[in-house]
Amino acid sequence: MSVLDCQVYLTGSGTWTKPAGATLIRVILVGAGGGGGGGDKQVSGTIAQAGNGGGGGCTLDMVFVANDVGGTEAYSVGAGGTLGTAGTGTGGVDGGIGGTSTFGGVTLPT
């Protein structure tokens, strides 16, 4: 008999606890994406450049034999990057870099 125990963490950080009787552990880490860039402001009737979309975060999919991970493991979910601010005739400001996501000793950069 197989039982699936799916746990999803979308924000924050804490401690994950290994389910009793687990034989395999699958961890999918998603790094936070960057924030979109700000557009430009222009006087009425003048074409202004829009801001760019933010970059996507990386994904890492890992499978462990349950005995290879601790009974508890620290995790954290990276926060998305900040939005860029609008420019005033010279283009907008780039968005900020997203945060890193971690599980145990594995770190996934943005």
Side-chain angles (χ1 to χ4, degrees):
M1 173 183 205
S2 64
V3 176
L4 179 65
D5 181 349
C6 181
Q7 300 173 30
V8 179
Y9 303 98
L10 300 175
T11 61
S13 61
T15 302
W16 169 83
T17 301
K18 180 170 39 177
T23 56
L24 290 175
I25 307 295
R26 181 178 184 192
V27 177
I28 302 173
L29 287 179
V30 179
D40 196 13
K41 293 180 187 176
Q42 292 287 342
V43 296
S44 179
T46 303
I47 296 174
Q49 183 176 354
N52 294 323
C58 298
T59 301
L60 179 60
D61 190 341
M62 305 166 287
V63 177
F64 300 98
V65 173
N67 290 338
D68 290 343
V69 298
T72 61
E73 295 285 354
Y75 74 86
S76 67
V77 178
T82 57
L83 298 176
T85 56
T88 54
T90 58
V93 176
D94 290 341
I97 297 172
T100 57
S101 295
T102 64
F103 176 80
V106 178
T107 299
L108 182 65
T110 56

